[in-house]
Amino acid sequence: MLLFPDLTTLDLVGPYDVFVKAPCFEVLLVGESTDVIRAEGGLLLKPSVSLQDCPQLDILFVPGGKGINELLTNSNVISFLQEQAKKAKYITSVCTGSLVLAAAGLLDGYKATTHWRSIELLKMFGVAVQDSRVVRDRNRITGGGVTSGIDFGLMLTALIGGDEMARIVQLQLEYHPEPPFHAGSPQTAGLPVLQRTKELTQPMFNLRKKIIQDLLKGKKQDI
Amino acid sequence: MLLFPDLTTLDLVGPYDVFVKAPCFEVLLVGESTDVIRAEGGLLLKPSVSLQDCPQLDILFVPGGKGINELLTNSNVISFLQEQAKKAKYITSVCTGSLVLAAAGLLDGYKATTHWRSIELLKMFGVAVQDSRVVRDRNRITGGGVTSGIDFGLMLTALIGGDEMARIVQLQLEYHPEPPFHAGSPQTAGLPVLQRTKELTQPMFNLRKKIIQDLLKGKKQDI
């Protein structure tokens, strides 16, 4: 699981807590270095291994968050993902982590998804975006926004450890959701909430779009 | 928000990520010291302030996890909670965090809840346990198992920042859950999964029950 500054904590910890409770996984937390990093909101996390010292992983996982803006053009991280992906059995992400996979070319020719706000940005990479909470296309598994990571984690557990294991973990996590509102998707949130949320996230959207445009321009020039 | 060794990461991060996205909260992560601690599964977290240096908090929050066993008899932490509780506006927990609040006497005379596996243990403290995903009794708000922390966080956001703010955060978190199985509660998991999960958690349950029995015996002798 990749750690980086300004990641969205719940993108990481939704699947992490599933993996920790499922005996079919061994979790490794990988950072550019093992220095403490600051996640969104200030939570301080310490990676257990650096990119350089990381062994070959069976499952690559990239969470999302504000910090992916920097990753999109971070050649250390992109090269790491590209190298690991050659032998990894599954290549996965939650939320805007899929934009990083796309920037590394790892979603070329695959169906995938991302946070609803970033669907348009994922399409810019030419990815066949599919409107589902979790999308599996062969060995690529991508989750939608933040909390979809719990659904993703349980799905991957079922795939690797079997349905019974996934059900046991779901019960341990008491994942019997009762959201107080019916507002968790653009389709259900209602227009005023959707518009306000779009407004609030517009500066980040614009900035990210610009980074991706520049990145794609650069790639074309390389060819 | 209280950090301690062997906390369940999702207990903490469910509400944390809600609070970080809701502009009505400022989050402080409090540890016994500011040394790095190891959460369940090995994730390394660094508290931003020690118990000793922590200012008066408006909202006290205690997550659960294996590590609460140590907290139940940790006089530093228990005294800290008791002192803070005198002036805090809300006293809250998720999962087995409510056992710590109960050990500090902070649920005496209140209705509360906890992880389904610990309901019996919370009753040992004389707490009026209620079977709901989130229970509010005046200024005590307690969540059930692990993932209930997201529902709890949104409920508290609505209470403090209003419904619209909670809906915006829910949409940002894309909290439109689609669990792959219908196994998230003892009522829905089915008997084989429920029995297997009980077996797996029996040693921890027995150990915790013994700690609470000894704690309650000690308290009686003090009187």
Side-chain angles (χ1 to χ4, degrees):
Chain A
M1 305 185 91
L2 189 68
L3 299 192
F4 53 87
D6 270 331
L7 63 80
T8 294
T9 53
L10 190 48
D11 285 14
L12 174 76
V13 168
Y16 171 86
D17 210 26
V18 172
F19 297 158
V20 160
K21 287 185 168 58
C24 63
F25 298 105
E26 189 188 333
V27 176
L28 213 57
L29 298 154
V30 191
E32 265 203 277
S33 74
T34 55
D35 292 347
V36 166
I37 58 147
R38 190 186 173 284
E40 273 180 30
L43 184 66
L44 299 172
L45 304 169
K46 193 174 178 333
S48 44
V49 66
S50 67
L51 294 182
Q52 202 178 335
D53 295 334
C54 181
Q56 174 65 47
L57 302 169
D58 289 328
I59 301 170
L60 268 184
F61 172 80
V62 183
K66 287 178 192 153
I68 68 126
N69 288 7
E70 196 275 331
L71 294 195
L72 292 169
T73 56
N74 179 323
S75 57
N76 278 342
V77 171
I78 296 293
S79 306
F80 169 82
L81 293 172
Q82 288 168 335
E83 276 308 306
Q84 285 279 340
K86 290 178 186 166
K87 291 187 178 169
K89 289 182 189 136
Y90 291 97
I91 294 168
T92 71
S93 66
V94 161
C95 199
T96 50
S98 58
L99 298 176
V100 181
L101 293 182
L106 298 174
L107 295 179
D108 293 354
Y110 288 87
K111 289 178 194 153
T113 193
T114 188
H115 190 282
W116 63 268
R117 193 64 172 104
S118 288
I119 292 281
E120 188 185 329
L121 303 179
L122 188 57
K123 283 182 181 165
M124 290 169 67
F125 288 100
V127 175
V129 178
Q130 200 168 317
D131 184 20
S132 299
R133 192 155 168 90
V134 182
V135 172
R136 179 180 173 203
D137 183 0
R138 287 155 285 167
N139 75 338
R140 265 56 168 181
I141 312 180
T142 50
V146 193
T147 56
S148 72
I150 304 172
D151 304 328
F152 152 79
L154 290 170
M155 190 190 275
L156 192 59
T157 302
L159 201 63
I160 292 176
D163 280 10
E164 200 204 15
M165 190 188 288
R167 285 172 189 270
I168 288 171
V169 172
Q170 188 177 344
L171 181 56
Q172 286 182 309
L173 295 175
E174 214 167 314
Y175 189 41
H176 182 73
E178 292 179 19
F181 303 99
H182 196 56
S185 72
Q187 291 76 32
T188 57
L191 208 56
V193 166
L194 181 60
Q195 277 180 337
R196 187 77 193 108
T197 310
K198 278 189 178 174
E199 280 163 27
L200 284 168
T201 50
Q202 196 62 43
M204 172 57 82
F205 180 87
N206 293 342
L207 174 62
R208 198 166 275 170
K209 188 168 179 179
K210 178 78 172 60
I211 292 170
I212 295 173
Q213 279 169 340
D214 290 349
L215 182 70
L216 293 171
K217 250 186 242 163
K219 278 192 182 162
K220 270 193 194 151
Q221 284 168 356
D222 285 349
I223 297 169
Chain B
M1 306 184 91
L2 189 68
L3 299 192
F4 52 88
D6 271 330
L7 64 80
T8 294
T9 53
L10 190 48
D11 285 13
L12 173 78
V13 167
Y16 171 86
D17 210 27
V18 172
F19 297 158
V20 160
K21 286 183 169 59
C24 62
F25 299 105
E26 190 189 333
V27 176
L28 213 57
L29 297 154
V30 190
E32 266 204 275
S33 75
T34 56
D35 292 346
V36 166
I37 58 149
R38 188 187 174 285
E40 273 180 29
L43 185 64
L44 299 172
L45 303 169
K46 195 175 176 334
S48 44
V49 66
S50 67
L51 295 182
Q52 202 178 334
D53 295 335
C54 181
Q56 175 64 46
L57 302 168
D58 290 328
I59 301 171
L60 267 185
F61 172 78
V62 183
K66 288 177 192 154
I68 67 126
N69 288 7
E70 196 276 330
L71 293 195
L72 291 170
T73 55
N74 179 323
S75 58
N76 278 343
V77 170
I78 296 293
S79 306
F80 169 81
L81 293 172
Q82 288 167 337
E83 275 308 304
Q84 285 278 340
K86 289 178 187 166
K87 293 187 178 169
K89 288 183 190 137
Y90 291 97
I91 294 168
T92 71
S93 66
V94 161
C95 198
T96 51
S98 57
L99 298 176
V100 181
L101 293 182
L106 297 173
L107 295 179
D108 293 354
Y110 288 87
K111 288 179 195 154
T113 193
T114 188
H115 190 283
W116 63 268
R117 193 62 171 104
S118 289
I119 292 281
E120 188 186 327
L121 304 179
L122 188 57
K123 283 182 182 165
M124 288 169 69
F125 288 100
V127 175
V129 178
Q130 200 168 318
D131 185 20
S132 299
R133 192 156 168 87
V134 183
V135 172
R136 180 180 173 201
D137 183 359
R138 288 157 284 168
N139 75 339
R140 264 58 167 180
I141 312 180
T142 51
V146 192
T147 56
S148 72
I150 304 171
D151 304 328
F152 153 79
L154 290 170
M155 191 191 274
L156 191 60
T157 301
L159 199 63
I160 292 176
D163 279 10
E164 200 204 18
M165 190 188 289
R167 285 172 189 270
I168 289 171
V169 172
Q170 188 177 345
L171 181 56
Q172 286 183 308
L173 295 175
E174 213 167 316
Y175 190 41
H176 182 73
E178 293 179 19
F181 302 100
H182 196 55
S185 73
Q187 291 76 31
T188 57
L191 207 57
V193 166
L194 182 60
Q195 277 179 338
R196 188 77 193 106
T197 309
K198 279 191 177 174
E199 280 163 27
L200 285 168
T201 51
Q202 197 62 43
M204 172 58 81
F205 180 87
N206 292 342
L207 174 61
R208 199 166 274 170
K209 189 169 178 178
K210 178 78 173 61
I211 292 170
I212 295 174
Q213 278 168 341
D214 290 349
L215 182 69
L216 292 172
K217 249 186 244 163
K219 276 191 183 164
K220 270 192 194 153
Q221 284 168 355
D222 285 350
I223 296 169

